[in-house]
Amino acid sequence: MSGDPVHARRLRAQLLAGTPAGDPVTVAERLLAIQGQDPRGARLAIRARSRGLCAADVDHALTEERSMLITWLNRGTLHLVRSEDYPLLQLLTTPQLRTSSTTRLAQEGIDARGTERGLATIERALAADGPLTRAQLGRRLLRARIPIGDGALIQLLFRAAIEGIVVRGPMMGRQHAYALVRDWLPRGQRLDRDKVLAEFARRYLTGHGPADERDLARWGGLTLRDARAGLNAIAAELEDRPGGLVDLRGRRAGQAPEPRLLGAFEPLLLGWNSREPVLADHAAKVISGGIFRGFALAGGRAVGLWRLRGRAVELELFGQLEESVAEALARDGTALQEFLGLS
């Protein structure tokens, strides 16, 4: 770790080193957006950066507090975010997704008129009886004589999300239900795009610095032009770091994080163009076919894979570890079981 100051700073920015958070919303605020298509993985990202929490605390924030939500944002991928940050992310990261959405809907046999009818049906159903699960919304669409398979349903919900009509709000049992944005969240003020770009860049660096414009553009699904504009707008707040990177002024590096188990689609692998500082030559073992597996972190680097077999945590190490590190990972496996309510 001492030989890689950039990686050490990123680990601290990610809340994997230094003082852990005490609640889920603090983690979401720090990272700005946590990839969320794997529900367990998103919850484990919060676990790794906090102390004293369990998975039910995330569900409580989603359902009772309404302080967090999940929806399609950066790069057209589901993300867990603070409800307070939703307007910023919605404004910047979704308009560029409409073209691909239209193409995917057409591939599912839904033209412009069908899309309009589908969105109107979803909106009416949620206004009358929401929140509703995906299956419940699917039945409403079929009742309205909008013939859809599961692929078409997902594409209509995706379009409703990027248009700012719906978000995934409360948990209903083990299902994540959809709610109307206007019903679930307080009405926000009209945002100035230039100011939002500056805030987006600032918040990205808070959880990911040091980084460069290409890292920011890739993570947010922005153009390089927008990424540069955001960073230029906060230039007075930045300091140069090695390799053409920038960071917020006054940030300190942290010591290596404690050994721990990180979940699927871990944010530490998704915030920058290069994953080499974490994965080194183990990338093919952790990432395959677009799937990011859960892995063990020690000394700031991946040292093995893990999985749940029933309720038990199984480790598959890449090599021999010091006994103290292996024991720490075993203890963290027990803590992971407790977090998920499996112990």
Side-chain angles (χ1 to χ4, degrees), residues 40-300:
R40 177 179 287 170
R43 287 159 175 77
L44 291 178
I46 289 175
R47 183 199 81 91
R49 294 161 171 83
S50 61
R51 291 293 182 272
L53 301 179
C54 64
D57 294 316
V58 179
D59 293 351
H60 182 78
L62 289 164
T63 305
E64 305 299 332
E65 296 177 354
R66 302 190 185 186
S67 53
M68 297 196 303
L69 58 87
I70 290 180
T71 193
W72 285 279
L73 294 164
N74 307 25
R75 309 180 306 280
T77 303
L78 286 169
H79 279 79
L80 171 67
V81 303
R82 286 197 313 168
S83 298
E84 186 177 339
D85 292 326
Y86 167 79
L88 176 153
L89 291 157
Q90 170 71 20
L91 175 66
L92 288 184
T93 71
T94 60
Q96 53 269 42
L97 302 173
R98 291 191 179 103
T99 299
S100 61
S101 168
T102 298
T103 300
R104 292 295 302 276
L105 284 163
Q107 291 170 348
E108 296 291 341
I110 302 177
D111 60 13
R113 185 171 179 274
T115 298
E116 185 177 343
R117 288 183 60 226
L119 296 184
T121 300
I122 290 170
E123 189 166 3
R124 284 195 301 271
L126 291 175
D129 302 310
L132 297 171
T133 65
R134 184 173 77 182
Q136 289 171 328
L137 285 169
R139 289 193 288 271
R140 298 299 180 92
L141 288 162
L142 288 173
R143 197 179 304 164
R145 297 185 179 181
I146 300 173
I148 54 168
D150 194 55
L153 174 57
I154 287 294
Q155 291 306 317
L156 278 172
L157 290 169
F158 175 78
R159 186 56 171 260
I162 67 173
E163 295 293 348
I165 298 169
V166 306
V167 293
R168 292 191 185 190
M171 298 300 298
M172 295 177 66
R174 303 186 71 175
Q175 300 295 313
H176 207 154
Y178 292 85
L180 287 178
V181 170
R182 66 172 184 258
D183 291 343
W184 196 249
L185 302 177
R187 187 177 297 276
Q189 297 179 342
R190 187 175 182 86
L191 300 177
D192 178 271
R193 193 173 188 278
D194 290 339
K195 291 180 180 179
V196 169
L197 272 175
E199 179 65 8
F200 189 83
R202 182 182 297 112
R203 295 285 305 284
Y204 167 77
L205 288 175
T206 298
H208 299 82
D212 64 21
E213 60 192 22
R214 288 175 174 79
D215 294 321
L216 171 57
R218 176 172 177 170
W219 180 80
L222 306 181
T223 64
L224 269 176
R225 179 179 180 178
D226 277 346
R228 288 175 187 142
L231 291 172
N232 287 339
I234 61 169
E237 304 172 33
L238 305 180
E239 61 182 10
D240 293 331
R241 304 302 306 167
L245 307 178
V246 295
D247 201 358
L248 298 172
R249 289 188 182 278
R251 302 285 295 279
R252 295 184 296 111
Q255 296 181 352
E258 298 175 3
R260 68 192 64 180
L261 304 180
L262 303 180
F265 295 95
E266 161 58 35
L268 188 60
L269 300 182
L270 298 164
W272 307 270
N273 279 290
S274 174
R275 302 182 180 106
E276 193 279 335
V278 182
L279 299 182
D281 58 352
H282 301 302
K285 299 174 184 176
V286 178
I287 306 168
S288 177
I291 301 299
F292 289 65
R293 297 180 175 86
F295 64 96
L297 188 78

